[in-house]
Amino acid sequence: MAASAGVTRTTCPYCGVGCGVLARAGQPVKGDPEHPANLGRLCSKGSALSETVGLEGRLLHPEARGQRITWDDAIARVARAFSEAAAEHGPDSTALYVSGQLLTEDYYIANKLMKGYIGTANIDTNSRLCMASSVAGHKRAFGSDTVPGTYEDLEQADMVVLVGSNLAWCHPVLYQRLAAAKAKRGIRVVTVDPRRTATADLADYELRLAPGSDAWLFNGLLAAIEAAGALDPDYAAHLDGAEEALAAARDATLARVATETGLALQTLTRFYTDWIATERVVTVYSQGINQSASGTDKVSSILNTHLVTGRIGRVGSGPFSVTGQPNAMGGREVGGLANMLACHLEIENPAHRSAVQGFWASPTISTQPGLKAIDLFRACADGRIKALWIMSTNPAVSLPEADAVRAAIEAVPFVAVSDIIARTDTTALADVVLPASGWGEKSGTVTNSDRTISRQRAFLPTPGEARPDWKIICDVGRAMGWEDAFAHESPAAVFREYAALSGVAGALGRDFDISALAEIDDTAYDRLAPVRWPVSATKQGGRFFADGRFYTPSGRAQLRPVAPRAPEVRPSAETPLILNTGRVRDHWHTLTRTARSARLSRHIGEPFAEVHPDDAARYGIGVADLVCVSNPLGEVVVRALLTERTPKGSVFVPMHWTDQFASKARVDTLVPGLVDPYSGQPESKAATVAIARFGAAWHGFAAVRGELAPPGTAYWARAKAGAGWQAELADTEAPADWEAFARTLFAAPEAQAITVHDSARQSVRVALIADGQVAGVLFAAPEPVEIARAHVVAGLAEGASAAALLAGRPGADRPDPGATVCACFDVGANTVLAAIEDGAESVEAIGKVLRAGTNCGSCRPELRALLERARPRLAAE
Ligand code: SF4
């Protein structure tokens, strides 16, 4: 059905759930009730999309080393650098590093340029960091990178196992669908994760296994399936290698698995018995499995259990890899990884290469895989790469050994960066920056985790001189002399070519075939409704592999014997703790978009390290202390969050913070570039580190109306808040003059200062007045300052008096709401606890009183956690 007048149907640009969005310029977005991925739901990030589309900080013109240049000049510089490098040093001296944020049309054209025209497969994507091990595992087992099932399977299963997947925060709408189905049908949910995440809230029981021991757990399951006589004898005809896989798993006895995973025998028995007894079982897995130096084997250990039982591609059963990014799947389809050709064709297969080259009528075709992400930046460092183009991603922050990556990018003679944001840690390293169109301004398609292709549609005007990525790439291709091959005038024209090539792939027996869309005209492309591939004359959507037909040479699935391997780096006396990295609920990647929303930053606005209380005691770390987390690769300084959610011996630090938002919090500087030998995916969850209390002479909190530049103290973390910004501060030496410090901090040299000293507590509070109102407030003390931050920020925005703000707390008539739990309705933890005390005894009851949890639902696990926290106290009263 068409959207109402002025409303555009499009797709959320964040996670791989791929929710449909109804958008209108200047209005809050809504979930699209007709999109099959979300049926109207949105999470907190999706709900705040309209707050992230402003032009603040946008890159609006091409620049060369900070100087504005014309598009013609910019395109000529990129084309010249790539042509000269290829001519002088060979095609493999050039490289593209792209992103799961690109649309399929962008990805397709980038691949065509590199693999078919420049003649190198040195194009890799940041999706290498999140799901390359699933791709490798799928290809090994199925002969194709195929997700067998659909989202509906999670709702139709009788048991869902979530492995290394914080679905509640990383794929929130899928979590909501599962939660709703569980409430209706009583689905048994089991979480497998060393850390207790928000997702565990939905679990009937948790398997908090030792970090990195997942392959032992699933080998043990395989052995238990055999021992229970639960192998599917009919489906066995569709398998190769089952006996070898079973033989390799036989030493995974219950006792051995208990030793390796640290799980109790009783827990293991319960899990294995439940899994074996449940015909409809879906095993969902994501970064906790993939981000490992043995990630592909871990994937194989999961696939083996589904294959030997034939529980694959049937309603409510199958293994299910969920992708991190909105178009990671689209990138996989167009060959966005350095070891693939377009449309699931193989780079090492001469017939496939010949078919693609023939279709493109291209002068060349890559004959061997290119450099995967980690190796690509190593080649930058050692001088092999002479021209590098980075699109829509921030590798100076997000890649392992991020400091070395930054140096590697600096070492490349020519670097172009396409982005929507002017100042990122990576654009700072570019020779030429190219302004790309952002979400809301660009048009194309994306594919979500269950193979559904959706249209992303523009609903905002393109600002400045920004251009869509596919067009920038076509412009460069034409400037390099390939006029006809890159003559596309629209994303629809690119899509038609791509769909036609998929027909060639389909004719070669590949799974990915959308050739029924190859003749789509511009109007039909514009109206294209979400559709799950394949979309050919003979196949339409649906599941794969229930019929036992695979894309391997034998036509049978290839099971792999798995020998579990522990993480490569082990804790030592110098670095005794395991570092786990991941996401938080309301932020996305390197904060370039979600940090524009004060609402999203209210949930978590400061980088942190989750530390188990026993480890905190051992290392002398107190509540809210700052901690240095370090190893020989580097150091970050973040806030300590003492919690039993993270197991003893581990710390968890989120991946989002960059040098734009914190003094030293790029956690990937601590992650070594160790990769899985098959997938090239880095081990991002098993670095080892030491932690120590950061010795600050003072701590501070500042809130300002308007802009706040990076403060320059030894520690700072800033976030959008209210009508401006807020910052947490600390330093090793106190300023001699607090008022002068505040004036510098708030860039208000003429402002009048009102200062309150508390000599007993050695604290100081400063309000700066400019133009008759408070411009900013600063609180400083020897210990982390204890004030009601939300109250101060709100008061500043509302024009409260200096006296009211410097009190740091609301009066008795206005209670402190506490840290934000529900971002949609701005409900704080203290407000929720008060409602519970007043008799709201369930999440639904809290929703009725406060509306918290009734919109996107992302905070419902936290509401349940607050209920749990309050119950013992209420029972005792
Ligand atoms: Fe966007 Fe949230 Fe949906 Fe993911 S779950 S696509 S972040 S609205």
Side-chain angles (χ1 to χ4, degrees):
M1 200 177 84
S4 53
V7 174
T8 301
R9 284 207 142 87
T10 184
T11 313
C12 175
Y14 294 129
C15 83
V17 178
C19 296
V21 169
L22 298 177
R24 182 202 289 262
Q27 301 283 322
V29 301
K30 292 195 173 128
D32 182 350
E34 294 181 21
H35 196 288
N38 56 318
L39 306 167
R41 297 176 175 93
L42 289 179
C43 75
S44 47
K45 289 187 287 286
S47 300
L49 269 167
S50 52
E51 295 161 35
T52 65
V53 295
L55 296 188
E56 183 190 342
R58 277 294 295 267
L59 177 63
L60 296 174
H61 310 282
E63 291 178 6
R65 290 280 165 198
Q67 299 300 310
R68 184 171 169 177
I69 57 174
T70 64
W71 263 116
D72 285 350
D73 188 6
I75 294 295
R77 288 182 195 225
V78 179
R80 191 164 56 240
F82 272 69
S83 295
E84 288 177 0
E88 285 175 34
H89 306 281
D92 289 339
S93 68
T94 66
L96 254 60
Y97 185 63
V98 298
S99 161
Q101 303 290 307
L102 292 179
L103 303 184
T104 298
E105 291 75 2
D106 307 323
Y107 249 135
Y108 173 81
I109 282 293
N111 267 280
K112 181 177 178 182
L113 175 66
M114 291 302 278
K115 290 175 182 158
Y117 285 80
I118 295 176
T120 177
N122 283 348
I123 168 168
D124 213 40
T125 162
N126 61 6
S127 297
R128 180 73 61 193
L129 311 180
C130 72
M131 47 80 235
S133 295
S134 282
V135 175
H138 286 163
K139 287 177 72 179
R140 273 195 336 193
F142 310 150
S144 59
D145 175 24
T146 317
V147 172
T150 69
Y151 290 159
E152 288 73 32
D153 288 323
L154 273 73
E155 297 164 321
Q156 292 163 333
D158 294 320
M159 177 170 176
V160 173
V161 185
L162 298 162
V163 194
S165 169
N166 184 4
L167 209 68
W169 281 17
C170 301
H171 300 91
V173 165
L174 201 49
Y175 171 87
Q176 290 167 31
R177 285 181 64 165
L178 177 60
K182 180 179 166 72
K184 209 156 135 193
R185 296 187 46 244
I187 300 166
R188 180 182 291 123
V189 175
V190 181
T191 53
V192 180
D193 201 318
R195 188 170 160 245
R196 185 172 212 279
T197 67
T199 305
D201 172 64
L202 200 61
D204 291 274
Y205 55 97
E206 299 171 59
L207 304 185
R208 291 188 66 180
L209 76 184
S213 64
D214 315 75
W216 278 108
L217 180 72
F218 285 94
N219 264 8
L221 175 58
L222 188 61
I225 290 167
E226 185 185 32
L231 302 172
D232 183 331
D234 297 330
Y235 204 75
H238 305 302
L239 309 179
D240 287 335
E243 180 46 44
E244 291 82 352
L246 288 164
R250 280 179 201 130
D251 67 345
T253 59
L254 215 52
R256 182 76 191 273
V257 176
T259 303
E260 298 291 343
T261 61
L263 295 168
L265 287 173
Q266 205 179 2
T267 309
L268 283 171
T269 304
R270 180 183 183 190
F271 173 58
Y272 290 165
T273 305
D274 286 344
W275 200 100
I276 290 165
T278 309
E279 195 60 36
R280 289 189 175 195
V281 57
V282 174
T283 307
V284 176
Y285 58 96
S286 59
Q287 269 62 318
I289 288 292
N290 294 330
Q291 290 182 330
S292 161
S294 57
T296 307
D297 281 348
K298 287 178 181 170
V299 170
S300 292
S301 74
I302 292 171
L303 301 186
N304 287 348
T305 61
H306 282 271
L307 286 166
V308 297
T309 51
R311 294 175 183 175
I312 186 165
R314 298 180 184 162
V315 172
S317 81
F320 203 115
S321 146
V322 280
T323 53
Q325 297 194 76
N327 200 29
M329 188 70 91
R332 285 150 69 167
E333 290 155 9
V334 301
L337 294 159
N339 48 329
M340 307 162 96
L341 280 177
C343 303
H344 288 189
L345 293 166
E346 303 285 342
I347 210 164
E348 281 138 320
N349 182 318
H352 291 187
R353 287 201 304 270
S354 163
V356 175
Q357 187 175 7
F359 179 85
W360 281 340
S362 64
T364 183
I365 191 82
S366 312
T367 56
Q368 58 189 16
L371 295 167
K372 298 182 183 115
I374 298 296
D375 290 337
L376 190 154
F377 285 94
R378 287 190 178 136
C380 291
D382 67 22
R384 278 176 285 157
I385 300 298
K386 310 293 183 191
L388 171 68
W389 188 357
I390 297 165
M391 291 179 200
S392 291
T393 184
N394 202 354
V397 177
S398 54
L399 273 173
E401 299 182 20
D403 281 342
V405 168
R406 183 176 281 188
I409 297 169
E410 279 176 331
V412 177
F414 177 84
V415 178
V417 177
S418 304
D419 210 303
I420 64 167
I421 300 297
R423 305 284 167 252
T424 73
D425 294 37
T426 300
T427 58
L429 309 172
D431 295 288
V432 172
V433 289
L434 306 165
S437 307
W439 180 80
E441 302 150 15
K442 62 193 288 188
S443 184
T445 54
V446 292
T447 310
N448 71 4
S449 295
D450 83 343
R451 292 180 276 112
T452 298
I453 298 171
S454 299
R455 285 279 282 107
Q456 187 170 304
R457 297 180 175 91
F459 67 97
L460 294 171
T462 304
E465 296 181 29
R467 289 182 183 176
D469 292 283
W470 67 266
K471 176 158 175 46
I472 302 172
I473 302 161
C474 281
D475 290 343
V476 170
R478 285 198 296 267
M480 291 180 78
W482 299 302
E483 288 285 341
D484 293 342
F486 297 95
H488 310 78
E489 289 296 331
S490 67
V494 179
F495 183 84
R496 282 190 285 272
E497 181 180 309
Y498 164 57
L501 177 57
S502 79
V504 175
L508 285 164
R510 302 307 292 163
D511 60 333
F512 182 77
D513 186 346
I514 57 167
S515 53
L517 301 171
E519 304 292 325
I520 194 168
D521 64 22
D522 288 2
T523 306
Y525 176 78
D526 197 42
R527 290 184 182 156
L528 183 67
V531 58
R532 184 179 291 133
W533 66 259
V535 197
S536 70
T538 55
K539 290 177 274 182
Q540 169 76 56
R543 300 175 176 84
F544 280 87
F545 307 137
D547 60 3
R549 285 168 44 206
F550 293 87
Y551 296 88
T552 56
S554 69
R556 292 184 289 276
Q558 304 295 303
L559 278 74
R560 291 284 172 156
V562 173
R565 279 192 289 131
E568 300 221 354
V569 184
R570 304 302 300 157
S572 65
E574 292 73 35
T575 53
L577 300 169
I578 294 170
L579 171 67
N580 185 3
T581 65
R583 292 177 168 153
V584 302
R585 191 189 80 187
D586 287 355
H587 277 310
W588 180 254
H589 280 196
T590 60
L591 301 178
T592 51
R593 287 180 296 181
T594 47
R596 292 158 161 256
S597 163
R599 178 152 67 106
L600 292 179
S601 296
R602 271 203 294 273
H603 182 241
I604 296 176
E606 186 183 21
F608 63 89
E610 282 184 2
V611 183
H612 191 279
D614 291 355
D615 290 326
R618 181 173 312 135
Y619 298 108
I621 293 160
V623 172
D625 271 348
L626 290 171
V627 285
C628 302
V629 183
S630 65
N631 64 18
L633 291 170
E635 175 186 87
V636 298
V637 182
V638 293
R639 187 74 59 187
L641 183 62
L642 275 48
T643 171
E644 292 183 359
R645 286 197 300 262
T646 280
K648 260 187 246 181
S650 288
V651 291
F652 172 85
V653 179
M655 50 158 306
H656 307 288
W657 272 267
T658 72
D659 285 355
Q660 316 298 316
F661 295 96
S663 48
K664 205 188 243 192
R666 290 157 57 235
V667 71
D668 277 297
T669 57
L670 307 180
V671 176
L674 299 167
V675 299
D676 179 275
Y678 305 101
S679 68
Q681 178 153 359
E683 183 144 70
S684 299
K685 292 184 174 290
T688 60
V689 292
I691 55 170
R693 187 170 182 272
F694 176 79
W698 66 275
H699 296 255
F701 174 77
V704 62
R705 192 190 293 279
E707 287 302 309
L708 179 75
T713 44
Y715 173 79
W716 58 267
R718 63 180 186 143
K720 290 291 283 287
W725 290 76
Q726 68 176 46
E728 299 288 343
L729 309 164
D731 215 332
T732 50
E733 233 175 88
D737 181 339
W738 283 106
E739 291 182 2
F741 175 80
R743 287 191 179 97
T744 307
L745 182 68
F746 299 144
E750 307 298 329
Q752 178 204 344
I754 298 174
T755 303
V756 179
H757 287 279
D758 181 338
S759 48
R761 292 187 181 153
Q762 298 177 289
S763 69
V764 61
R765 301 176 177 210
V766 182
L768 289 191
I769 316 291
D771 300 326
Q773 62 179 354
V774 181
V777 282
L778 169 69
F779 300 81
E783 301 299 327
V785 290
E786 289 186 30
I787 56 161
R789 285 161 168 75
H791 160 74
V792 171
V793 166
L796 192 61
E798 290 162 8
S801 68
L805 292 168
L806 291 180
R809 297 208 166 277
D813 59 326
R814 193 172 170 184
D816 172 13
T820 298
V821 174
C822 171
C824 296
F825 297 114
D826 196 14
V827 182
N830 293 346
T831 310
V832 174
L833 287 168
I836 295 169
E837 254 178 59
D838 285 347
E841 288 180 348
S842 66
V843 170
E844 289 68 31
I846 294 169
K848 274 197 187 124
V849 187
L850 302 173
R851 298 175 76 200
T854 60
N855 183 37
C856 77
S858 299
C859 65
R860 290 169 72 90
E862 283 155 273
L863 297 178
R864 261 188 283 272
L866 287 170
L867 278 163
E868 291 299 318
R869 203 169 102 191
R871 262 183 201 130
R873 189 162 53 81
L874 293 179
E877 282 172 1

